[in-house]
Each structure stands twice: as structure tokens, then as C-alpha cells.
């Protein structure tokens, strides 16, 4: 088990910068997730930790040991690849035993350890199968077992679930978590599925085009995004441009043509362009008049039913804008009707004022 | 990127580059240099002679080569494409049997094939004489020879290139494309012309280029059939025999330029994005031929075609039982026994060529195996500057006509060089295995690369992150996975080395004369039976190897082109 420290990592391919100035500390035993849109440098970062790439600048440390240019075979990391990368000409046993054979363990010990780990991933009955004869989920567990059996200091998983169907994905999520807790292994997990990230992680790093935007626990990231990119990327949100009006000591939205009441009302950095974010599930909607701050009138434009929730798009009167509202499904009688007049309220405590993310 | 990786790449590249430079590039350059020499001084005189009025024969040979090659492409296509279409699109009794027969010409080494054709259709050939006797004619009604002979043999031996590439392309055409065109109201012919044909163009172009190159390089057919007719590959041989090495070099350079431009054109063509679609492995479904008349017509035609296709094999087999001296002036052979095969085991002068061929082919293939494996690994999986150049260099022996490869080696190693450790190789035993090795490197590299390209990089990375060093990974993970490709390439190289004639005829000595040379000798002595027996041995070896590679490595013969 190790902690991982990335200090000031930059990785360039030619003149293209894939990762820029990344600073990150992953604690021992932590389940840490890299989350971000496609092409933002997650895999690149992971591969630098595994040793397949070497950073152009910066240092990679495991515990306090500098590993920046140590080659992959000497890092003792366990990696699970997106396509599993099982050795197709070997059986399940041989695949899992590979890392132990390389480490010149005794036959008896190899056998025991392989059987133990296969027991843990519930593949013991398949021990002598050729890996090509396994289902996707089983192959995935072989890949996991192969990585775990060498008792790696760090477990690296690159979108291990992206090839699976929804049910299996759910199952495997729990499986991975269970194994991670059982072994207590420092784990770095790459995904662009936000639900996966939010449900599994101790902490998350949100990436955007080569930059790390925010590091925090799932709740911090969801409830206190540091900028509009994070707010928008994690979960659904309504984003509006706002401005801090010194003279009125309040935020003002051009789009709504009104002041916005926010609590707690911290006076933010004045000059930076700001946005307000409010989650769809936090917005109050009612057919009868609402009292209090931040109330607007609108007309229901579209109602979407998704099963557990109902999304409604509401056109605010006299404004060229829509807001999205989400409610849990409580039966057809509670749905809004299209073209109905409604009142919407942005509760002041639910509004986050965030700076705009620096654009590339 | 990192020093250790770079060092590994470098370590791999050093032997590869050394061998390629020493045995491919340097000999070619020697030939180029020689072509600019005339009695010791550097001059353009040879080229002036080549193109000038003084040596009309060269220009004529060049023109003949081009013209024969173009016609060979045409005829091979005319046979191969319809056959491929019929076999992939229609179902009739015996279809899969006939389609297996259709590729039989490839088991005949070129020299043996030409020989069989001569016995069948030549001046004293069995078929013309049989017709003459049956119909009581004064003269044989026809006989092949000269340019028609060459063309017929080319069409017979080269149509499989079209047949195999077009078949596999047709198999990859999603039949629903044709069906949708048909449902949009296009007629059968319209569908073929507007939908199928454009989808086949890449295959057709590839096959045409291949046949053109192969027939430009063709040596055995003109060698036995040409008479006074001149082609460039043969001119090189004659110049060399007449001791005019400078002219031979010049002719080689001209032929090389043509072949290498074809190689480059083909590379360009294959790298171009074509509009093949990501087919999901839907095999073409075949229409049942329902009209009974048509059905039996097809079967009859199939049987007849089969007979024609297999006649050369049959005549070879039959004649191999004709003992020496029993067939001299008679029209047909009279005595048959196992004498020729018995001699193989009893007469060392008969057995030696077989042993030589097997041993030299084995040595050359061992070299190809190791070298091809490493080279293809470096080319596919390693990053380095000049990769494209190396790739071209590797493929050059494949593009160069065998005669040119032979000339290059003669001109490079008729003196001591660092690459031959100061020895003169020409006239020694080892020059022939070297020639075979050089010639068949590309085969192994190609078939290995095809497998390696399928191998995901992450497999190697997985092994590495599990703690395996590079060599261990290569041995335990990469090698077992690419073995089928390496082996099938090597077996194919072996097959071709056993049948190889053009380089053999340029480079053989008394000690290392291979089967092909002995066939030629026996032909000169009019001992046809023994020649046929040698031919049968080659065919047998080829057949065995092909069956092995198909059965054990699942290599289809069409992948080996
Ligand atoms: N070997 C390479 N050479 C050049 N560019 C590369 C290389 N590897 C990655 N890149 C580029 O670096 C950027 C980041 O790639 P990376 O694979 O890290 O993305 P990712 O976040 O993992 O995306 P995804 O979610 O799609 O897997 C991409 O724009 C990619 O094109
Ligand atoms: Mg990725």
C-alpha cells in the first residue's frame, strides 16, 4: 500500500499538452477517481502513474519514493485495462498466475494464492477455462484478479466497466468496491460516468482538457462545485450569468432582469465573470402564487418522463430562456401540464455562485 | 520518451538494419554502381546502349515484358473474377469441391508448371498428338510456344491471385447492399455494375498490380517457352551467361525501377482510405441455382474446368513413372514403374539435389523465421525515426524480380565484403541459402505483421505492469500469440524456396545444385521421367506444407499471397 503524490506534472505529446501542471496527493487506501469528459487526459495521467508514460515535467512519488522514471515492471502497480488485456492463449489460472511466476514464487504458493483470489472474485469454478470462453463480466473479474494477486501497492483501473451492460456494471461496481475495501488497497479509478464516480469514490478529481478543476469528496463536488464546468459536468444544473452589483450589494442577472437573493451572500471576487448554478431538483414550482425572493412566472414548455423522475422545461415569461426542473415521480396527478402557467422559485440557500472556468 | 525503451528499440534495430543494409541495400547499390561502369570507368554508356539503336533487343525485351504483363493481367482477370463471383454467389452441387480445385495451380512451382504445360500442349505434347491420332491429321492441330505459350502459362498460374483476392473481397461485401439496390429497382446487371463492382475495385487493383509485377518478373515460362522471343528478365540471364555483367546490371536496374515503383504505388494504394465498410462478418449468402438446365451446365463446366486445371498435375504424376530411356521416339510413353523414385534413394546424384534443396530451404527459412519475427515486431510495435524507410527496405526483395535479386548478390559478393566476412560468396555453397533468405524475408514479415497488428498494445503493457521484463513478455506473451503468423509465413517461404528457380539458375554450383536445377539438367538429357519425379517431389512437399499450415495454424492459402 502506498500513497501517490503527483507534483507539477505536465505531459506533452509533441506540442500537444495532454496534462498540465497537475498537483495531486492520493492517500493510502483511498478510492480515488479521475472524472472528466473524453480526451481530458485521464488515461494519460493514469499511465504516468503506471509508468507507461513518463511526465515531461514534474514528479511521481509513491509514498516518499521518487518513481518518476522507474519502468512499469518495477512499480508494483496492478492495472486493469479498459479492454482487460487478458492473455488469450492462457487459461484463467495461467493469466492470474503470470505476475506471480514473474516474481519467481514457488509453485505451491502460486497455486494457493491464485485459488484464493479467484475465490474472492467468485471465479474458482472457471480456473481451467480458456479466457476466450468467459463472458465479459467474468473476463473483467479475471483482469481484476490478475491485478490483485500480486498484492500491488496501487490498483489502477481505466474505465473497467465501460464495456459492460447496465446490470452487469452495477454488479461489478459493488464487486470492485468490496474487493477494494477487503484488500484496503490504494485505488485509482478512471471513468467518465459521473454516477459511478459519485457512488464509489472517497474522493474525485474532475478534469477538463488537461487541467484538474477540483478535487474533493463526492458531496463537496456536487454541492460545492468550484466553477461552472464542474457544476455542469457533475449532475444537471441551470447556469445563469450573474454579476455582483456593488451599489446594491446583490447579485444581478441580466437574463432574468432582476436581482438575485443568495444566502449566505458572500461578496465574491468582483471583477471575475460569475455564474449562478441551481440544481433542477432544488427549484420550487407551483401552480399558485409563491411568496419570497427569486420568484418568477413562466409557462411549462415540455414535460419529460424518465421513470423515477419527471423533468419539466419551463419558459420564463418575457425572457428568452428555459430552466429545467426535476421532481421525483409521485404519480400522474402531480405532473405539470404543458402550456400551464406556473410560478418558480430559486430558494436562496440552494443557489451557488461560481466563477467561470478559465477557457482554453 | 525514456532511455530504457529507446535502448531496447536500438538494440533490436541494429541487427535488422545491418542485415538489410548488408544483403538488400548494399547489393542493390552494387548493381546500380556496376550499371554505370564500362571497362573500369564511370559512364552512362550502358544506358545509352540499352535505349540506343545499338541494342534494339533490350528495348524490344522491355516492351515485350510490359506487353506480356498487361495481357497476363487481362487474361488472369478474365478467368479469376468470374470464377470468384460464381463460387461466392451461387450454390450448385459440388461447389465447395470445385472451389478447392480452383486454387490448385498454386501448388505447382513455376518451373514444374511450365514443364507440365510443355508436355501437355507443346510441339511433341500429348494432347495435340492425341488429337492428331484420333482424327488422323497430318500435322498436330496446335501447340503452344512463344508468346501464346507464355501467356497461357501465366493465365493458368496467375489467375488464382485474382480468384483469391476477389473472393475474399466478395465475401466482405454485405449482401444487403446488393439487395437494397435490387429493391430500389436496379436490374441484376445494374446491381453488379453500380454496387458490387465499385466495392471490388480495391481488390481488383491490388490483384492487377500483383499479377503485373509477378509476370514482369516471370522467368521460368520465358526460359522454357520463349524461343527467340525476348523478355527483360531473361535478357538479364543471357547477359550474365555471356559475361556482360555491366549490361546485366543495367538491365537489372531498369527492371528494379519498374518493380519498385510498383511497390511504392501499391503501398500508396493500400494505405489510402478506401470505402470498405466495417462489415460485421456477415458471410455472403449464396443464391441457389434453381434452373435445372443451368445447374447441370454449371456442374459440367465445373468438371471440365477441373480436368483442365488438374491435367498438369496428372501428367506430372504419370510421367514420373516413366523410366529413363524408355520413351524416346514414341508418341506416348510405354513403360511405367517406380524406377525414378527408387533411384532417389539409391543413386546419390539423384538424391543430392533433394537433400540440397531441403537443407538450403531449411537454413534460409530458419533465418527468415528469426529475422522476420524480430523485424516485424520492431516495425509494428516500436516507434523510431525512419520506420517507413525500413518498411520499404524490407519489402524490396519481394518487389524485385528473382533474377534481379540473383544479379544483385552476384555483383555484391563476387568479392570479399565486410558483410561476407571478407569471403567471396559467389561460387560457394552458401550463396544460394543467402539468396533464398533475402528473397523470402518479406513473406515472413508480412504474415507476422498481419498478426501483430491485431495484437493490442495493452496486452504487452499488462504483462509489463505485472512485473515482467521485456524479454520475458516477448517470450511468454507476444511470441505464443504471433506464432501462427510467423510459422505460416515461414512455411510458405519454405515452399517457395524448395521450388525456387531463377536465383538458383544464376547462383548454383556443383555442390549445392537444388531440385530445380536438376530438373533442368534432366530435361536437357531428355530424361523426362526423372524430371517429372523431381517435380512430383516438389509438389508433394508443397502440398504437405500447405495442409499442415491449414490444419494446424488455420492459415488459408489466400492469406499467404
Ligand atoms: N500517445 C499519444 N500521442 C499523442 N497524443 C496523445 C497520446 N495519448 C493521448 N493523446 C492525446 O492526449 C489527450 C488526452 O488523452 P487521454 O487518453 O488521456 O484522454 P482520456 O481522458 O483518457 O479520454 P477518454 O475518456 O476518451 O479515454 C487526447 O487529446 C489524446 O488525443
Ligand atoms: Mg481514456
Amino acid at each position: 500500500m502506498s500513497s501517490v503524490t503527483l507534483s507539477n506534472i505536465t505531459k506533452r505529446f509533441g506540442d500537444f499538452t495532454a496534462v498540465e501542471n497537475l498537483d495531486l496527493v492520493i492517500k493510502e487506501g483511498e478510492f480515488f477517481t479521475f472524472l472528466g469528459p473524453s480526451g481530458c487526459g485521464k488515461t494519460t495521467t493514469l499511465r504516468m502513474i503506471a509508468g507507461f508514460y513518463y511526465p515531461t515535467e514534474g514528479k511521481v512519488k509513491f509514498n516518499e519514493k521518487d518513481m518518476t522514471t522507474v519502468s512499469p515492471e518495477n512499480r508494483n502497480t496492478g492495472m486493469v485495462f479498459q479492454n482487460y488485456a487478458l492473455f488469450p492463449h492462457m487459461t484463467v489460472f495461467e493469466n492470474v498466475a503470470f505476475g506471480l511466476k514473474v516474481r519467481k514464487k514457488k509453485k505451491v504458493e502460486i497455486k494457493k494464492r491464485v485459488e484464493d483470489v479467484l475465490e474472492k472474485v467468485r471465479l474458482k469454478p472457471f480456473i481451467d477455462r480458456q479466457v476466450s470462453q468467459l463472458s465479459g463480466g467474468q473476463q473483467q473479474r479475471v483482469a481484476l484478479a490478475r491485478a490483485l494477486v500480486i498484492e500491488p501497492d496501487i490498483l489502477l483501473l481505466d474505465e473497467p466497466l465501460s464495456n459492460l451492460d447496465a446490470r452487469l456494471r452495477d454488479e461489478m461496481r459493488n464487486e470492485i468496491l468490496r474487493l477494494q475495501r477487503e484488500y484496503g488497497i490504494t485505488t485509482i479509478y478512471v471513468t467518465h460516468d459521473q454516477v459511478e464516480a459519485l457512488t464509489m469514490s472517497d474522493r474525485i478529481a474532475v478534469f477538463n482538457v488537461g487541467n484538474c478543476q477540483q478535487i474533493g469528496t463526492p458531496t463537496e463536488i456536487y454541492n460545492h462545485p468550484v466553477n461552472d464546468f464542474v457544476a455542469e459536468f457533475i449532475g444537471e444544473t441551470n447556469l445563469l450569468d450573474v454579476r455582483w452589483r456593488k451599489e446594491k450589494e446583490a447579485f444581478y442577472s441580466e437574463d432574468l432582469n432582476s436581482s438575485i437573493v443568495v444566502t449566505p451572500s458572500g461578496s465574491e471576487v468582483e471583477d471575475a465573470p460569475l455564474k449562478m448554478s441551481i440544481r433542477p431538483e432544488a427549484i420550487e414550482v407551483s401552480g399558485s402564487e409563491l411568496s419570497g425572493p427569486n420568484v418568477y412566472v413562466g409557462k411549462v414548455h415540455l414535460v419529460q418522463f424518465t421513470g423515477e423522475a419527471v423533468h419539466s422545461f419551463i419558459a420564463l415569461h418575457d425572457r428568452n430562456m428555459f430552466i429545467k426542473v426535476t421532481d421525483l415521480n409521485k404519480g400522474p396527478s402531480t405532473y405539470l401540464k404543458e402550456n400551464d402557467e406556473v410560478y418558480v422559485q430559486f430558494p436562496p440557500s440552494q443557489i451557488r455562485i461560481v466563477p467561470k472556468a478559465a477557457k482554453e | 520518451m525514456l532511455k530504457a525503451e529507446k535502448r531496447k528499440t536500438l538494440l533490436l534495430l541494429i541487427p535488422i538494419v545491418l542485415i538489410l543494409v548488408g544483403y538488400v541495400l548494399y547489393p542493390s547499390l552494387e548493381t546500380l554502381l556496376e550499371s554505370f561502369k564500362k571497362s573500369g570507368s564511370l559512364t552512362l554508356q550502358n544506358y545509352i546502349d540499352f535505349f540506343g539503336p545499338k541494342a534494339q533487343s533490350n528495348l524490344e525485351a522491355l516492351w515485350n515484358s510490359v506487353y506480356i504483363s498487361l495481357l497476363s493481367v487481362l487474361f488472369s482477370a478474365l478467368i479469376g473474377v468470374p470464377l470468384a463471383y460464381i463460387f461466392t454467389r451461387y450454390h450448385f452441387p459440388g461447389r465447395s469441391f470445385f472451389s478447392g480445385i480452383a486454387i490448385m495451380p498454386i501448388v505447382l512451382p513455376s518451373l514444374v508448371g511450365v514443364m507440365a504445360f510443355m508436355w501437355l500442349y507443346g510441339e511433341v505434347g500429348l494432347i495435340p498428338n492425341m488429337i492428331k491420332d484420333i482424327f488422323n491429321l497430318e500435322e498436330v492441330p496446335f501447340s503452344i510456344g512463344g508468346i501464346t505459350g507464355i501467356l497461357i502459362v501465366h493465365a493458368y498460374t496467375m489467375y488464382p491471385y485474382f480468384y483469391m483476392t476477389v473472393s475474399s473481397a466478395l465475401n466482405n461485401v454485405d449482401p444487403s447492399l446488393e439487395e437494397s439496390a435490387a429493391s430500389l429497382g436496379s436490374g441484376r446487371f445494374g446491381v453488379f455494375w453500380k454496387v458490387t463492382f465499385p466495392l471490388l475495385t480495391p481488390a481488383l487493383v491490388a490483384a492487377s498490380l500483383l499479377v503485373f509485377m509477378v509476370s514482369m518478373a516471370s522467368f521460368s515460362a520465358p526460359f522454357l517457352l520463349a524461343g527467340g522471343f525476348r523478355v527483360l528478365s531473361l535478357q538479364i540471364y543471357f547477359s550474365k551467361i555471356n559475361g556482360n555483367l555491366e549490361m546485366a546490371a543495367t538491365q537489372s536496374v531498369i527492371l528494379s525501377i519498374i518493380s519498385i515503383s510498383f511497390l511504392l504505388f501499391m503501398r500508396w494504394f493500400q494505405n489510402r482510405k478506401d470505402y470498405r465498410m466495417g462489415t460485421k462478418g456477415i458471410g455472403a449468402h449464396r443464391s441457389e441455382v434453381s434452373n435445372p438446365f443451368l445447374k447441370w451446365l454449371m456442374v459440367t463446366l465445373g468438371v471440365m474446368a477441373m480436368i483442365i486445371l488438374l491435367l498438369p498435375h496428372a501428367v506430372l504424376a504419370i510421367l514420373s513413372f516413366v523410366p529413363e530411356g524408355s520413351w524416346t521416339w514414341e508418341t506416348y510413353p510405354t513403360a511405367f514403374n517406380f524406377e525414378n523414385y527408387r533411384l532417389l534413394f539409391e543413386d546419390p546424384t539423384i538424391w543430392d539435389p533433394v537433400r540440397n534443396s531441403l537443407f538450403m530451404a531449411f537454413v534460409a527459412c530458419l533465418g527468415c523465421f528469426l529475422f522476420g519475427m524480430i523485424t516485424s515486431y520492431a516495425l509494428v510495435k516500436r516507434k523510431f525515426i525512419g520506420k517507413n524507410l525500413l518498411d520499404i527496405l524490407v519489402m524490396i526483395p519481394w518487389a524485385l524480380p528473382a533474377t534481379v535479386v540473383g544479379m544483385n548478390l552476384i555483383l555484391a559478393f563476387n568479392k570479399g565484403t565486410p558483410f561476407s566476412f571478407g569471403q567471396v560468396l559467389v561460387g560457394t555453397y552458401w550463396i544460394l541459402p543467402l539468396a533464398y533468405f533475402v528473397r523470402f524475408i518479406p513473406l515472413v514479415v508480412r504474415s507476422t505483421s498481419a498478426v501483430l497488428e491485431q495484437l493490442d498494445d495493452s496486452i504487452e503493457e499488462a504483462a509489463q505492469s505485472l512485473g515482467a521484463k521485456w524479454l520475458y513478455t516477448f517470450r511468454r506473451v507476444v511470441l505464443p500469440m504471433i506464432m501462427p503468423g510467423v510459422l505460416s509465413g515461414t512455411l510458405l517461404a519454405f515452399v517457395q524456396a524448395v521450388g525456387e528457380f531463377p536465383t538458383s539458375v544464376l547462383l548454383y554450383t556443383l555442390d549445392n545444385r537444388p531440385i530445380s536445377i536438376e530438373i533442368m539438367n534432366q530435361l536437357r538429357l531428355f530424361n523426362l521421367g526423372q524430371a517429372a519425379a523431381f517435380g512430383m517431389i516438389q509438389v508433394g512437399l508443397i502440398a504437405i506444407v500447405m495442409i499442415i499450415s491449414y490444419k494446424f495454424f488455420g492459415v488459408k492459402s489466400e492469406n499467404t499471397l
Side-chain angles (χ1 to χ4, degrees), chain A residues 111-134:
Chain A
K111 188 156 182 310
K112 179 158 182 320
R113 280 172 67 176
V114 171
E115 281 174 357
D116 283 353
V117 76
L118 285 178
E119 189 91 61
K120 289 238 168 67
V121 298
R122 305 187 180 123
L123 278 179
K124 188 85 179 299
F126 299 94
I127 189 159
D128 287 321
R129 282 271 190 103
Q130 215 61 40
V131 289
S132 52
Q133 299 168 340
L134 298 178

Side-chain angles (χ1 to χ4, degrees), chain A residues 12-14 16-19 36-47 53 82 158-159 190-192 207 210, chain B residues 1 383:
Chain A
R12 290 189 204 94
F13 297 107
F16 178 81
T17 309
V19 176
S38 190
C40 66
K42 305 178 298 276
T43 300
T44 307
T45 311
L46 197 73
R47 290 170 65 84
Y53 291 155
Q82 184 169 356
D158 192 355
E159 301 190 33
V190 167
T191 183
H192 48 224
F207 284 69
Chain B
M1 224 180 294
K383 283 204 200 90

